[in-house]
Amino acid sequence: MHITSKNAFSSKMDKTITLRRGLDLRIEGTVPAESTAKPCSTTEIALVPDDFPGFTPKLAVKEGDNVTAGQALMYDKLHEDVKLVSPIAGKVTHVVRGDRRKIMRVVVTAETTGAPAIKTDADTDNATDVKKAIMHSGLWAYMRQRPYDIVPDTEATPVNIFVTAFDSAPLAPSLTNLVKGKGKYTAAGLKALASLTSGKVYVSLPYGCGLELPAEVERVTVKGPHPAGNAGVQAAAIAPVNKGEIIWTLDIVTATRIGTMLLDGTTDWSTTVAVTGPEVNHPCLITTTIGASLKPLVDGNLKDTDRHLRIISGNVLTGAKESIDGFLRFPYRQITVIAEGDDVDEFMGWASMSPGKMSESRSFPSRLFHNKLFRPDARLNGGRRAMIMSGEYDKVMPMDILPEYLIKAILARDIDRMEALGIYEVAPEDFALCEYVDPSKLELQKIVREGLDYLRKELE
Amino acid sequence: MLRKYLDKIKPNFEPGGKLQAFRSVFDGFETFLYTPRSTSASGVHVHDSIDSKRVMIIVVLALMPCLFFGMYNTAYQNFTACGITDYTFWQAMAYGFLAILPRIVVTYAVGLGIEFIVAQWRGEEIQEGFLVTGILVPLICPITTPLWMLAVATAFSVIFVKEVFGGTGFNIFNVALVTRAFLFFAYPASMSGDKAFIASEPICGLGGYVPDGFSGATPLGMIANGSTEFLSQAGSTWQAFLGLIPGSFGETSTLCILIGAALLLLTGIASWRIMLSVFIGGLVMGWIANTFPSDLYPASTMSPIDQLVYGGFAFAAVFMATDPVTAARTGIGKYIYGFLVGVIAILIRVYNNGYPEGAMLAVLLMNALAPLIDYCVVQANINRRMRRARSMD
């Protein structure tokens, strides 16, 4: 069965989604294909509540408290069952607060406390039990729901669950490699998820991937450029979110963690991180703990230059800017280092014909070299303008969404129009490529995030 | 060195500096000379190298063949009218250059002046939109247009067509075309007839006074008055394609316009959808008119190809209809918009003898209708979504 990105239907056979719109950025610093992960122990971790939209953090611990692995550090003020738990045993050393005492992050320093990690017992056949177990383990916050792209509402039943088994973002590691050898757990996790939805669990795989999946889930093959690996693209092609419906999205790593937790009782908080980017000497894979401090992960591996560097926890499209003293951020699997670019003076950059300029515009000679890799920096490469060019976003948006019109509706805070134009179907990450190609340099992901938050506030 | 100088004088333009009233002007020049150092604060960490400056400059570059050809043609028309035959290529170019230079200077001075003031007043960055408008206006006006008229018309359209709507990106009508339309309706005597399109005076000793009885009517002007003989002359289509005919400064040469079009399409700056469908619309309407020729409407005897190479049609198709701000913005909308521009341009040209050329009015009319076309396309998307939601119930 073959479906293009515009059509949506379901069938009993394996599905193939072919994306024609999208874009693979060609950036230097990818991890060599045959790399194996080196372990790197961490002494400090931090959890950042901002990584979990929809989660209103309330502290469960104080500075100086001892915690065991699996113990809650924060819980959601509105749904107390949803919590963020410490992945390691140790002492809470800092609670960093920002404006109006907003919790920015909670830092835990590793210590051997002797206390065993918190266990979760669950009957994997009972949906209520499974749900409770996921919440108890702290993994609930690792899933997202649409509409609003937030931590799922604990009361609602999703009409479908979309799991992505690959990350197509620039320089991203292969997710199927991360769950290799854990087939038992992946299967258990997916089966458990299947009991939580009234519809189906769809798992998207890259073309030619042989990952085995349990019979309870639907296998979806996605061909094409980024955002092929985004769960939202899969949902858009198979069953877009209608008003009043709820779907969940997550990645295969989280599904596998759920499986491990259900089968073994303990949650596996280790993670494999790809250290990537043009300013990294030797791109590599490192096994560490979620929320780990970045310094040990990149120390000695950064290029020795006078230029300012930008360390991104995540990929260049959706990652979070962190300093060298920062921490690994959700979804805890990639670090990208690029030049900041605030220390260069480029004379008449707009006229440049340099082949080193990364662009999708054919006015740059770099478009002629199809395999060339680039070393972009973090500059906007222009000034912020009104939306002038038309159709630029459409080229990289493989969903049946009119991005310009939806963005304008959001900016106008016009709720009816946002609904009509499909805001329930999208997450900020779906607009990342639009934001990249935009000649007017608008902050599209921020606009969409604010729009979603506004809508939720008005309607709930 | 230049960077150091800019850094040195920069404090004067910051709030509290003695030249703070010129901050937007300084910003404009600084960002023109040096790519701003500002880096991404939210969302994506890398941005495409394209920006609106590059987009605008490429359009200006695409207009250069028309500009240079216009210089030569202006001289050629004057020299031919005066019977001057022994001139060199460079003498002709010099004449044309001197003829157009004051017009370009005046349009830019008036337009950019207003842009700078408005940017300063709003506390915004200077926008690049006028870089293109400022060169388009002299190219689409007759060479004899008095400078003060150009100044008045430019000021009118920059203020009332662009700035009151919020500046570049928010205008409903194409600014350059409104300038032309303003001149056309406010000063019809200077904008049409058989004297308007040929430079009538010598400049710096080059060229000569055009004799009183000489008719410099444009081909379309002659056709509208019923004289269509020259259409049957051998090579007349070729002549019009090359552009050695009287007409507005930069829009006579279809060849040069196509060179510009090639640049716009190769770089992907202009929409091929719009460009293609304007030409198709023109061909279709030209063919319909030509299939039912009528003595009442002399232009209906023109072949469809002639319709495309005479007058401002090609220029409008390549440079005016493709203005992304005022054209339709949706993919399907662009086909409809372009096709209708082509059809209406020829419709006005053929069936309204009062207007020998319809391209300007066609684009302006479709500018007004573009939001309606987009509305229908967007509504189709919305309806698809509503149907889907209903089928789930």
Side-chain angles (χ1 to χ4, degrees):
Chain A
M1 196 50 66
H2 204 80
I3 42 185
T4 62
S5 58
K6 274 197 166 177
N7 307 319
F9 61 84
S10 55
S11 84
K12 289 199 180 85
M13 297 159 74
D14 277 4
K15 292 185 178 63
T16 301
I17 300 170
T18 305
L19 303 186
R20 289 192 183 80
R21 288 175 288 175
L23 174 63
D24 283 324
L25 297 183
R26 301 190 304 274
I27 300 176
E28 269 183 33
T30 188
V31 177
E34 297 307 311
S35 303
T36 46
K38 297 172 292 188
C40 173
S41 63
T42 185
T43 53
E44 216 180 19
I45 67 97
L47 291 186
V48 178
D50 268 355
D51 287 347
F52 304 91
F55 179 92
T56 320
K58 194 113 174 109
L59 281 179
V61 289
K62 300 189 298 291
E63 277 185 18
D65 281 3
N66 284 322
V67 292
T68 60
Q71 185 179 336
L73 297 176
M74 289 167 266
Y75 58 89
D76 187 354
K77 206 172 178 176
L78 308 171
H79 305 274
E80 293 192 0
D81 292 334
V82 179
K83 44 197 170 188
L84 294 176
V85 304
S86 173
I88 57 171
K91 183 180 264 183
V92 178
T93 41
H94 300 284
V95 174
V96 182
R97 290 181 185 269
D99 290 345
R100 301 203 292 163
R101 299 195 33 87
K102 180 185 169 186
I103 302 169
M104 304 306 286
R105 61 172 181 249
V106 177
V107 183
V108 178
T109 308
E111 266 176 28
T112 337
T113 54
I118 289 181
K119 287 230 171 200
T120 311
D121 286 325
D123 173 5
T124 51
D125 293 333
N126 180 331
T128 331
D129 258 18
V130 168
K131 217 167 155 178
K132 270 191 187 146
I134 297 176
M135 285 187 250
H136 183 252
S137 68
L139 283 168
W140 190 268
Y142 288 52
M143 303 192 289
R144 292 288 174 271
Q145 90 162 40
R146 292 187 192 202
Y148 310 129
D149 188 47
I150 51 170
V151 172
D153 178 0
T154 52
E155 310 292 317
T157 304
V159 291
N160 287 303
I161 299 178
F162 294 92
V163 181
T164 174
F166 73 117
D167 187 346
S168 55
L171 307 176
S174 154
L175 298 191
T176 42
N177 281 349
L178 301 188
V179 297
K180 211 176 242 171
K182 297 180 184 169
K184 176 176 80 163
Y185 299 120
T186 309
L190 292 173
K191 274 186 208 167
L193 286 169
S195 68
L196 298 184
T197 166
S198 54
K200 287 176 179 161
V201 173
Y202 295 92
V203 181
S204 65
L205 298 158
Y207 182 65
C209 172
L211 190 77
E212 281 193 30
L213 297 173
E216 285 84 349
V217 304
E218 296 272 317
R219 189 187 187 89
V220 182
T221 303
V222 190
K223 284 190 216 173
H226 185 64
N230 284 7
V233 169
Q234 208 197 136
I238 295 170
V241 189
N242 294 310
K243 186 178 179 181
E245 292 178 348
I246 278 181
I247 62 161
W248 291 354
T249 62
L250 63 151
D251 60 29
I252 194 96
V253 180
T254 305
T256 307
R257 281 203 183 105
I258 292 174
T260 317
M261 180 268 297
L262 291 172
L263 292 187
D264 294 355
T266 49
T267 313
D268 176 13
W269 295 112
S270 72
T271 181
T272 301
V273 180
V275 182
T276 63
E279 301 303 322
V280 170
N281 279 326
H282 305 290
C284 58
L285 296 175
I286 297 178
T287 306
T288 181
T289 312
I290 68 150
S293 55
L294 295 177
K295 205 163 189 174
L297 304 179
V298 295
D299 239 4
N301 201 4
L302 298 180
K303 290 216 169 120
D304 189 20
T305 104
D306 297 336
R307 297 188 66 181
H308 300 165
L309 296 182
R310 173 177 287 219
I311 300 176
I312 302 159
S313 186
N315 63 60
V316 291
L317 293 176
T318 57
K321 182 182 171 181
E322 277 288 342
S323 72
I324 185 79
D325 300 319
F327 296 86
L328 205 52
R329 303 274 295 268
F330 187 82
Y332 312 111
R333 58 173 180 246
Q334 188 180 0
I335 297 169
T336 313
V337 186
I338 60 173
E340 179 71 30
D342 62 348
D343 44 6
V344 277
D345 278 317
E346 192 182 358
F347 185 65
M348 298 225 261
W350 50 267
S352 172
M353 289 305 276
S354 153
K357 288 255 174 194
M358 187 166 89
S359 177
E360 264 315 282
S361 161
R362 290 195 299 267
S363 69
F364 286 90
S366 60
R367 267 294 294 262
L368 299 172
F369 313 112
H370 289 288
N371 296 315
K372 188 180 162 60
L373 297 176
F374 297 92
R375 309 170 57 85
D377 59 33
R379 277 179 300 166
L380 296 179
N381 294 321
R384 192 147 290 149
R385 295 288 180 269
M387 230 180 258
I388 295 172
M389 300 294 280
S390 61
E392 298 295 306
Y393 304 161
D394 301 300
K395 291 178 194 162
V396 291
M397 166 66 83
M399 302 164 89
D400 190 18
I401 292 281
L402 296 168
E404 286 172 27
Y405 289 88
L406 180 53
I407 291 289
K408 283 180 185 170
I410 294 174
L411 289 173
R413 294 286 183 262
D414 182 341
I415 291 178
D416 290 341
R417 198 149 171 86
M418 286 190 235
E419 281 185 348
L421 289 166
I423 194 163
Y424 296 128
E425 298 162 42
V426 302
E429 64 172 12
D430 297 326
F431 287 79
L433 281 171
C434 302
E435 189 175 341
Y436 165 77
V437 298
D438 186 7
S440 298
K441 317 290 176 189
L442 298 171
E443 297 179 293
L444 300 181
Q445 291 185 87
K446 191 175 168 190
I447 292 170
V448 174
R449 176 84 264 160
E450 286 171 358
L452 292 169
D453 290 346
Y454 172 80
L455 201 61
R456 190 159 64 95
K457 207 175 114 218
E458 292 295 310
L459 298 183
E460 282 189 350
Chain B
M1 201 182 78
L2 183 59
R3 180 73 252 178
K4 276 189 188 142
Y5 176 69
L6 286 176
D7 286 339
K8 199 180 113 199
I9 62 171
K10 193 169 187 169
N12 293 333
F13 296 95
E14 314 259 298
K18 55 188 168 190
L19 293 172
Q20 59 169 322
F22 296 95
R23 191 190 47 80
S24 69
V25 182
F26 179 79
D27 270 359
F29 280 105
E30 192 193 14
T31 58
F32 182 82
L33 289 170
Y34 289 97
T35 304
R37 285 173 164 195
S38 48
T39 57
S40 86
S42 83
V44 297
H45 299 271
V46 291
H47 281 83
D48 197 295
S49 299
I50 191 84
D51 69 337
S52 54
K53 282 195 178 55
R54 193 176 180 93
V55 171
M56 300 298 175
I57 294 293
I58 287 171
V59 182
V60 173
L61 278 180
L63 284 163
M64 286 300 122
C66 294
L67 178 71
F68 290 124
F69 186 87
M71 291 181 193
Y72 182 80
N73 188 42
T74 300
Y76 173 83
Q77 297 301 334
N78 175 276
F79 294 177
T80 312
C82 302
I84 304 169
T85 49
D86 56 335
Y87 57 91
T88 64
F89 172 76
W90 291 112
Q91 278 174 326
M93 289 305 278
Y95 181 89
F97 176 74
L98 292 170
I100 196 70
L101 184 66
R103 280 151 234 285
I104 296 179
V105 170
V106 164
T107 354
Y108 270 126
V110 172
L112 284 181
I114 295 170
E115 292 259 343
F116 279 124
I117 292 167
V118 173
Q120 178 71 31
W121 180 42
R122 289 206 187 113
E124 286 173 358
E125 264 187 70
I126 300 270
Q127 314 234 325
E128 298 83 4
F130 198 80
L131 286 180
V132 175
T133 314
I135 190 86
L136 277 175
V137 169
L139 289 185
I140 57 174
C141 288
I143 190 68
T144 56
T145 315
L147 292 177
W148 68 267
M149 284 188 198
L150 267 183
V152 170
T154 305
F156 169 82
S157 46
V158 170
I159 294 171
F160 290 102
V161 177
K162 186 155 86 172
E163 302 303 351
V164 295
F165 287 97
T168 305
F170 298 106
N171 46 311
I172 297 169
F173 294 103
N174 183 307
V175 182
L177 271 184
V178 174
T179 311
R180 180 70 169 85
F182 181 88
L183 288 170
F184 183 80
F185 290 111
Y187 310 105
S190 313
M191 287 296 122
S192 48
D194 56 4
K195 293 278 178 284
F197 293 95
I198 291 192
S200 56
E201 290 171 0
I203 305 172
C204 296
L206 294 163
Y209 288 98
V210 173
D212 266 352
F214 184 83
S215 165
T218 63
L220 287 180
M222 287 192 264
I223 294 167
N225 290 329
S227 55
T228 56
E229 305 85 50
F230 70 91
L231 280 177
S232 48
Q233 284 166 18
S236 62
T237 304
W238 185 239
Q239 187 87 350
F241 179 75
L242 289 180
L244 289 171
I245 50 174
S248 292
F249 185 84
E251 58 189 21
T252 57
S253 171
T254 313
L255 175 66
C256 291
I257 292 166
L258 289 181
I259 295 171
L263 178 64
L264 290 180
L265 294 179
L266 283 177
T267 53
I269 297 296
S271 161
W272 62 269
R273 290 184 172 94
I274 294 179
M275 231 184 257
L276 179 73
S277 45
V278 177
F279 280 112
I280 291 175
L283 275 177
V284 168
M285 192 60 219
W287 176 78
I288 293 173
N290 195 234
T291 311
F292 308 101
S294 151
D295 288 342
L296 268 179
Y297 306 110
S300 63
T301 58
M302 291 169 79
S303 76
I305 296 294
D306 278 347
Q307 297 279 17
L308 303 193
V309 296
Y310 282 103
F313 185 88
F315 194 88
V318 173
F319 295 108
M320 295 300 182
T322 55
D323 170 13
V325 176
T326 55
R329 298 185 74 88
T330 52
I332 300 165
K334 283 174 182 161
Y335 291 116
I336 302 170
Y337 166 88
F339 185 79
L340 289 178
V341 167
V343 167
I344 294 172
I346 303 300
L347 194 72
I348 295 176
R349 181 191 280 182
V350 173
Y351 296 106
N352 189 335
N353 291 342
Y355 299 116
E357 176 54 303
M360 170 185 82
L361 294 172
V363 174
L364 286 177
L365 180 65
M366 289 313 295
N367 282 173
L369 293 183
L372 180 66
I373 297 172
D374 282 338
Y375 174 84
C376 297
V377 177
V378 173
Q379 204 56 41
N381 177 286
I382 291 174
N383 291 343
R384 210 156 46 235
R385 186 164 290 112
M386 304 225 321
R387 263 201 309 278
R388 191 185 74 210
R390 268 203 298 276
S391 70
M392 293 286 161
D393 292 340

